[in-house]
DNA sequence: AAGTTTGATTATTTCGAAAATCCGCATTAA
DNA sequence: TTAATGCGGATTTTCGAAATAATCAAACTT
C-alpha cells in the first residue's frame, strides 16, 4: 500500500478511471452499491472533481449509472442485463470474427498463436484455479482481442471492448463459486484453429457457443447474487431524439 | 441569446453536455477543432470542472477525443470513419429491426405511424428545405427510433443511439450543399410499411439501403470537407487487455 | 546554418471550499 | 391513522484559484 506514486505519464484522472474500472469488474465495488464521494476520495486519494470525471466516463462505459442529482451507483447486475448483454456480444463478436478472417494477414495469425500460447502457459503454471487470477484474465482478454484485431473496424472494436469488460464482471462473479472451469482451454484452441483455417462459419459458431455457454455457467452458479426483479434497471435507455 | 435560464430539473453538467453535443453535431463546433477551456467557459457559462465532466462524457460518446494531457478536440471526420460507422450502423440497425418485428405489439405499430405522421406533416409544412431544420431532424430521429424501440434490448438501443448521433453529424455536413434531398420521404414510408407488415427481410434490406445511400450522398457532396489522409484518427482504438 | 537548451508564456489538470440539493424526521393538520 | 409541511444534517454539484504540464521562441552551442 502506501502512497500511490505517480502513474508515469498518465493523468491522475485516467489512473483513477482505470483503478475504479478494475475495482468494479472485480466486484471490490459491489454491483448496485452507492458511490459516496467522501469515501471514494479517501479510497483513491483524489479530489471531488477528479472523481467526478472518472465517474462520468464510467457512466458512458455502462459500469456506473448516474441518478439524476442524487449521485452515482455501481451499475447493477441482473439476469435480464446479462442475457441482453450476451445477445449483443454474440452479434458483435460474430461480425468481428467474420471481418477479421476476411482481412487478417500473416502477422495477425502469428499474434493469435502468440497470445494463445501466453494464456495457455500461464494456465498450466497456475493449475486448477487459473480462472481466479487477474493476470490470467488479462491474457484471456488479450487472446480474444487478438482474434478480432484484424477486423479493421475501430468502431466495432471499441464497442466490443466495452461489452467484453461488462461481461467480464459477470464471469468474475461466478468464478468464485465454480470449483473448476470446464475445458475452456480446449474451446479456445478449437476457436483458434478454425479462425486460422479461415473457416468463417465454424469459427463464428464456436465463438457464439463459447459466449453463450459461459453465460449459462454464470447463470447457473451466480444468478442468486443478482438484483431481484429480473429486468433490473431502466437506466440510460437511449433517448429518442438526437440533436437540439 | 441572453442568459440561459435554469434548465428545469436537470443538473448543469447535463445541460452543458446536451448543448455541446448539439453544437458538435450541427458543426457549430467544427470537426477537428481544438477545444480550449477558456473559450468554452465563456461560451457555455460554466466552470472548468463542469466543462471537464461534459467533455469526458462526450469522449465516451465518440464526439470528442482526448489528447493525453494536451486537451480535447472535436472528433475529426474522415472518409474512413464514415464508412466504418456506416457498416457498424447497418449491422446494429438490421438486428434492431429484426428483434422489433419479432417482439413489437400493437402499441409499437401505432407509435411508428404517429411518429411518421409528425415527421411527414412538418416536412410538408417546411417545403423544399425541410432537411435543414433541426426540428425536422429531431422528428426524423424519433421516427427511426420508433421503428426499433420494441426490440427489447436496452444495450442495443443505446449503442444504436450513439451511432445514430455520430452519423447525424455527417448528414448535417452534407445537407448544406444539397439543394434538395431526393425522395427520402418515400423511403421512410416504404420502410414503415414493411415493418408493420412484419416483413423482416424486406424491412432490413430497405433500412440497409436507406443508410448506405445516405452515406453515399454525404460522400458525394461533402467529402471535400473531410480531413486529409482518408483513415484519419487512431484515437480510442480499444485496449487489448481488460481488467487490472 | 542546424540543432539543442533554457526560460517565459499559455493551457490544462487538480484541488478543496462554498453553494445548491436531497433525505429523513419531527411536527402539524385533516 | 394518514398525509402534508418544514426544519436540520448529510451529500452532491459547482466554482475559480493554485499547481502542473506543454508550447513556443530566443539564445546558445556545435
Amino acid at each position: 500500500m502506501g502512497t500511490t506514486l505517480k502513474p508515469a505519464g498518465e493523468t491522475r484522472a485516467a489512473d483513477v478511471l482505470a483503478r475504479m474500472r478494475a475495482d468494479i469488474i472485480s466486484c471490490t465495488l459491489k454491483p448496485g452499491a452507492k458511490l459516496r464521494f467522501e469515501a471514494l476520495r479517501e479510497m483513491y486519494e483524489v479530489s471531488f472533481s477528479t472523481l467526478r470525471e472518472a465517474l462520468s466516463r464510467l457512466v458512458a462505459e455502462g459500469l456506473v449509472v448516474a441518478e439524476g442529482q442524487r449521485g452515482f451507483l455501481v451499475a447493477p447486475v441482473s439476469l435480464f442485463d446479462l442475457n441482453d448483454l450476451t445477445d449483443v456480444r454474440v452479434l458483435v463478436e460474430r461480425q468481428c470474427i467474420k471481418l477479421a478472417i476476411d482481412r487478417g494477414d500473416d502477422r495477425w495469425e502469428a499474434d493469435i498463436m502468440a497470445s494463445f500460447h501466453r494464456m495457455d502457459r500461464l494456465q498450466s503454471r497456475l493449475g486448477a484455479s487459473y480462472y481466479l487470477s487477474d493476470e490470467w484474465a488479462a491474457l484471456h482478454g488479450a487472446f480474444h482481442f487478438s482474434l478480432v484485431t484484424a477486423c479493421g473496424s475501430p468502431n466495432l472494436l471499441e464497442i466490443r471492448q466495452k461489452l467484453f469488460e461488462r461481461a467480464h464482471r459477470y464471469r468474475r462473479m461466478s468464478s468464485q463459486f465454480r470449483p473448476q472451469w470446464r475445458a475452456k482451454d480446449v474451446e479456445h484452441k478449437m476457436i483458434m484453429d478454425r479462425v486460422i483455417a479461415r473457416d468463417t462459419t465454424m469459427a463464428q459458431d464456436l465463438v457464439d457457443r463459447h459466449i453463450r455457454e459461459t453465460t449459462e455457467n454464470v447463470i447457473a452458479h451466480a444468478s442468486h447474487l443478482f438484483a431481484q426483479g429480473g429486468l433490473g434497471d431502466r437506466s440510460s435507455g437511449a433517448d429518442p431524439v438526437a440533436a437540439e
Side-chain angles (χ1 to χ4, degrees), chain A:
Chain A
M1 290 196 195
T3 53
T4 320
L5 300 181
K6 71 155 67 172
E10 274 191 353
T11 71
R12 183 159 314 198
D15 177 55
V16 173
L17 172 65
R19 284 196 284 154
M20 284 196 68
R21 179 162 42 214
D23 287 342
I24 290 172
I25 289 172
S26 71
C27 295
T28 302
L29 295 170
K30 297 198 177 62
K34 182 133 184 39
L35 294 167
R36 283 189 198 75
F37 276 86
E38 197 49 52
L40 293 175
R41 207 178 66 72
E42 222 172 272
M43 184 169 179
Y44 295 102
E45 298 179 323
V46 287
S47 67
F48 296 104
S49 323
T50 306
L51 270 176
R52 178 160 272 272
E53 175 173 350
L55 261 337
S56 297
R57 296 205 188 193
L58 288 168
V59 166
E61 286 182 32
L63 290 171
V64 165
V65 298
E67 297 246 287
Q69 46 227 124
R70 291 188 301 232
F72 296 86
L73 248 61
V74 178
V77 292
S78 69
L79 194 54
F80 179 83
D81 179 60
L82 174 56
N83 280 320
D84 185 28
L85 190 59
T86 301
D87 289 340
V88 179
R89 284 188 67 212
V90 166
L91 175 77
V92 170
E93 202 86 33
R94 288 186 77 106
Q95 178 75 353
C96 287
I97 289 284
K98 176 190 179 323
L99 293 177
I101 288 177
D102 287 351
R103 300 174 183 171
D105 58 8
D106 294 347
R107 195 168 127 56
W108 166 67
E109 293 182 8
D111 281 347
I112 293 172
M113 294 171 69
S115 297
F116 176 82
H117 188 70
R118 278 195 293 277
M119 177 181 70
D120 193 49
R121 294 298 303 195
L122 182 62
Q123 197 163 318
S124 310
R125 201 176 313 133
L126 291 174
S129 60
Y130 67 88
Y131 54 82
L132 289 171
S133 153
D134 284 335
E135 203 190 343
W136 181 84
L139 293 184
H140 176 245
F143 167 70
H144 276 285
F145 181 73
S146 77
L147 293 171
V148 297
T149 345
C151 80
S153 169
N155 285 305
L156 207 54
L157 282 178
E158 190 177 331
I159 290 168
R160 195 207 79 101
Q161 193 58 23
K162 285 180 183 166
L163 296 172
F164 187 88
E165 282 175 9
R166 284 179 50 199
H168 184 54
R169 184 167 63 138
Y170 283 102
R171 285 194 293 276
R172 174 82 189 223
M173 284 179 73
S174 73
S175 65
Q176 62 184 118
F177 294 103
R178 198 163 24 183
Q180 52 193 0
W181 221 350
R182 69 143 206 319
K184 277 288 173 193
D185 48 323
V186 176
E187 281 189 32
H188 288 138
K189 181 139 185 40
M190 285 172 64
I191 291 171
M192 177 175 69
D193 287 346
R194 286 304 88 200
V195 165
I196 290 181
R198 313 272 172 163
D199 182 351
T200 302
T201 307
M202 201 61 193
Q204 284 180 312
D205 289 349
L206 286 175
V207 167
D208 187 324
R209 228 182 55 188
H210 185 71
I211 292 173
R212 292 195 190 281
E213 283 185 2
T214 301
T215 293
E216 279 167 31
N217 255 292
V218 173
I219 292 173
H221 293 90
S223 61
H224 61 91
L225 292 177
F226 296 173
Q228 271 76 341
L231 37 69
D233 56 344
R234 69 277 70 128
S235 73
S236 46
D239 199 49
V241 181
E244 201 73 26

